[in-house]
Amino acid sequence: MTPPLPPLKKEPALKVTSFPVGKAPTLLSWIDSERTRRLWSGNTFEKIPSPYEFLKHLSRTNLQPYAGLDEEEELVAYGELVDDGKEAGILCRVIVNPDKRRQGFGKAFCRELLRIGFGELGFNRVTLNAYHSNLPALRCYESLGFRRIAFRPKNNFREDARDLVIMRKERPLLRL
């Protein structure tokens, strides 16, 4: 007789909504070092953004910022979907509250962003960039069905250049 399978890990309860700008100070408090800034935003911001710089960034017309809120309506995750104008989207600047990492919030949040991207926004595919050294992010994205499509060693000419992995997920086929 084979032993029973362990129970599936349940993802935490999470509500995804448009990002309330009043939560910007909380989000920016998570960006506590240059390393964190690089992992979160790549080259989008040259330094840790001020609230003004961040709010200016949010004014881009092709950018949809989202918040992941826990059961107490506290911000636990942030991410963006950017419309590339070609029926595709780019998943960008995903971050989870440092105190909530490795609890499933990132995966639950990204799963919901994919549902929004493929559903409400009508994307046929979603791409993203992640640093090769960011193993937790790569594992999360791969578990959601993203596949690696390109590798860019030392993706920029700055001293802090990092190897970049480009990933893509196609719109899932409808199940009959």
Side-chain angles (χ1 to χ4, degrees), residues 2-10:
T2 60
L5 294 173
L8 294 175
K9 184 178 176 185
K10 184 178 176 189

Side-chain angles (χ1 to χ4, degrees), residues 52-114:
Y52 172 78
E53 291 165 326
F54 181 67
L55 293 176
K56 183 177 175 186
H57 166 77
L58 294 181
S59 70
R60 292 174 42 192
T61 58
N62 66 336
L63 182 144
Q64 298 292 321
Y66 293 95
L69 306 175
D70 66 12
E71 293 173 327
E72 288 82 36
E73 298 287 314
E74 294 295 320
L75 182 67
V76 296
Y78 171 84
E80 300 168 1
L81 289 171
V82 178
D83 186 338
D84 78 353
K86 301 174 188 167
E87 297 182 354
I90 305 164
L91 179 59
C92 300
R93 288 166 286 285
V94 174
I95 190 168
V96 175
N97 177 333
D99 296 332
K100 301 287 187 171
R101 292 180 185 157
R102 304 214 190 273
Q103 298 177 33
F105 284 104
K107 186 173 182 178
F109 181 62
C110 288
R111 184 184 315 282
E112 184 63 13
L113 291 182
L114 288 170

